[in-house]
Amino acid sequence: MHQSVLLQESVDALITKADGFYVDGTFGRGGHSRAILGSLGDNGRLLGFDKDPQAVEYAAAEISDDRFELWHGSFAEMRQEVDARGQLGQLNGILLDLGVSSPQLDQADRGFSFMNDGPLDMRMDTSAGETAAEWLNRADQGDIRYVLKVYGEEKFAGLIAKKIVDRRDQQPFERTLDLADFIEQIIPKSVKLKKHAATRSFQAIRIHINQELDDLQRLLADVVDMLAPGGRLVVISFHSLEDRIVKQFIRAQERGPVIPRNIPISTIARDPHLVSVGKAVKAADAEVSENVRSRSAIMRIAEKVLGND
Ligand SMILES: C[S@@+](CC[C@H](N)C(=O)[O-])C[C@H]1O[C@@H](n2cnc3c(N)ncnc32)[C@H](O)[C@@H]1O
């Protein structure tokens, strides 16, 4: 089962109006969605998103609530679904709890884990797109290197990419443990690692296969248009790249539109679109001791400025 991270803190930050319209962009196993529904009044509504067909099946079987609807797809397409429901500029809150869920990691056949043997899949949306094996067995060496270096901050990205390309024609990559062992053997034994040698590479490949950072950027580009004045964005990230994107986005929205230097700055032009609410929030020690996944979580909250519609 998935243990939701920063559950109470995120729901308290998100809900400002019990009869509002809210979006949970990352339904997972519905931990946050259930808590949101528990805090909403009879006229409140919640629209959930998940890319993973298993999350959709779970929602259909486990949540029966007239105030709730789940849409199968990426949160990057949130704007059109919100618009289709007549809610553009009307949302009271958007929650994102990024990354993978525990069921995704724990099921060996999903291919996310370097601890359990399974097909090298790693797609959150198993109904579409290229698997990790398909990509690794065809991608340019330079692209593999880029993904490992940028998304995994892997020091040995160049070497790992070269060895993958050297091997794959004789013996294509198909299984998670095969790839994990292969990477472990490439990294020099003299290098002291705190985590398994394949941790960074698996994370990088997963981020690439699921276009995780692109989806986040696409969603953020629509946030100001989707929120009602006073509406909130709450994002829980588990990775420094994601958190940097969210932090820089909120900062840019706080500064307001960029004005060319030779144009006099008017009051309107200086208006921010969003303001941060409080500082970044981390899980308390008690939560970290119960759920190790929460240790790397960081939550940021922003609110659409009143009069900005
Ligand atoms: C960390 S889990 C969310 C757990 C959830 N908050 C809970 O309490 O059960 C992340 C979920 O978001 C989904 N997901 C990740 N990126 C997504 C995207 N771009 N669009 C839709 N769903 C996404 C994953 O499939 C996964 O089920």
Side-chain angles (χ1 to χ4, degrees):
M1 214 348 117
H2 183 84
Q3 235 179 313
S4 305
V5 168
L6 289 166
L7 184 59
Q8 200 56 49
E9 294 89 333
S10 57
V11 174
D12 287 350
L14 184 74
I15 297 182
T16 51
K17 195 176 158 204
D19 285 335
F21 195 115
Y22 293 85
V23 176
D24 177 355
T26 50
F27 175 82
R29 288 297 177 272
H32 286 94
S33 280
R34 277 197 193 82
I36 294 168
L37 288 167
S39 297
L40 293 183
D42 291 346
N43 296 318
R45 279 183 66 192
L46 177 64
L47 172 62
F49 285 77
D50 208 295
K51 277 181 165 184
D52 187 341
Q54 287 188 0
V56 180
E57 276 171 31
Y58 176 90
E62 300 292 331
I63 300 197
S64 138
D65 189 318
D66 291 344
R67 302 168 302 164
F68 175 70
E69 177 192 353
L70 189 78
W71 193 79
H72 175 223
S74 172
F75 58 61
E77 283 132 42
M78 193 181 290
R79 185 195 179 105
Q80 72 195 47
E81 295 309 311
V82 165
D83 196 14
R85 288 157 185 79
Q87 296 295 324
L88 203 57
Q90 308 289 320
L91 294 184
N92 299 101
I94 301 170
L95 173 74
L96 297 180
D97 173 21
L98 297 168
V100 276
S101 65
S102 303
Q104 287 168 334
L105 274 177
D106 294 345
Q107 286 172 38
D109 63 348
R110 300 299 303 265
F112 286 105
S113 167
F114 50 78
M115 309 290 275
N116 305 312
D117 195 33
L120 201 47
D121 189 323
M122 295 201 201
R123 288 170 304 163
M124 290 176 182
D125 187 350
T126 45
S127 70
E130 196 173 35
T131 66
E134 285 163 351
W135 179 71
L136 275 181
N137 290 326
R138 69 139 188 96
D140 287 347
Q141 185 175 322
D143 289 348
I144 299 176
R145 179 183 163 280
Y146 176 87
V147 165
L148 300 182
K149 193 168 175 55
V150 175
Y151 300 158
E153 297 170 281
E154 172 55 68
K155 268 202 269 173
F156 297 96
L159 185 60
I160 298 172
K162 179 178 184 312
K163 297 272 188 190
I164 286 174
V165 170
D166 287 348
R167 189 197 104 164
R168 67 188 182 189
D169 287 342
Q170 293 85 49
Q171 198 187 346
F173 292 90
E174 303 293 352
R175 310 286 300 177
T176 51
L177 284 193
D178 173 36
L179 178 65
D181 293 346
F182 184 75
I183 292 171
E184 196 171 22
Q185 279 162 31
I186 294 170
I187 298 195
K189 295 282 170 283
S190 55
V191 177
K192 296 262 175 293
L193 296 169
K194 286 196 192 127
K195 294 182 177 165
H196 189 290
T199 309
R200 290 171 178 275
S201 298
F202 267 62
Q203 171 190 287
I205 296 168
R206 187 203 91 201
I207 290 175
H208 169 72
I209 289 296
N210 295 292
Q211 301 170 6
E212 293 180 34
L213 303 183
D214 291 352
D215 279 6
L216 178 59
Q217 306 257 31
R218 283 175 59 200
L219 176 277
L220 291 176
D222 291 330
V223 157
V224 173
D225 288 347
M226 290 191 287
L227 286 176
R232 288 189 167 184
L233 171 70
V234 177
V235 185
I236 304 170
S237 315
F238 294 85
H239 187 286
S240 57
L241 290 176
E242 285 165 351
D243 183 52
R244 199 176 312 150
I245 290 173
V246 175
K247 183 170 78 179
Q248 288 177 351
F249 166 75
I250 295 174
R251 280 212 187 127
Q253 296 302 320
E254 282 187 317
R255 282 197 295 269
V258 177
I259 309 144
R261 278 196 180 178
N262 52 352
I263 295 181
I265 298 172
S266 69
T267 328
I268 293 171
R270 262 193 260 120
D271 272 352
H273 291 154
L274 297 175
V275 287
S276 286
V277 178
K279 292 193 172 157
V281 179
K282 304 211 67 168
D285 292 347
E287 180 171 0
V288 174
S289 63
E290 275 183 19
N291 180 7
V292 70
R293 227 174 66 81
S294 67
R295 193 175 42 200
S296 51
I298 180 155
M299 177 170 79
R300 294 188 188 270
I301 307 156
E303 184 172 299
K304 183 161 164 180
V305 174
L306 294 173
N308 228 309
D309 47 3

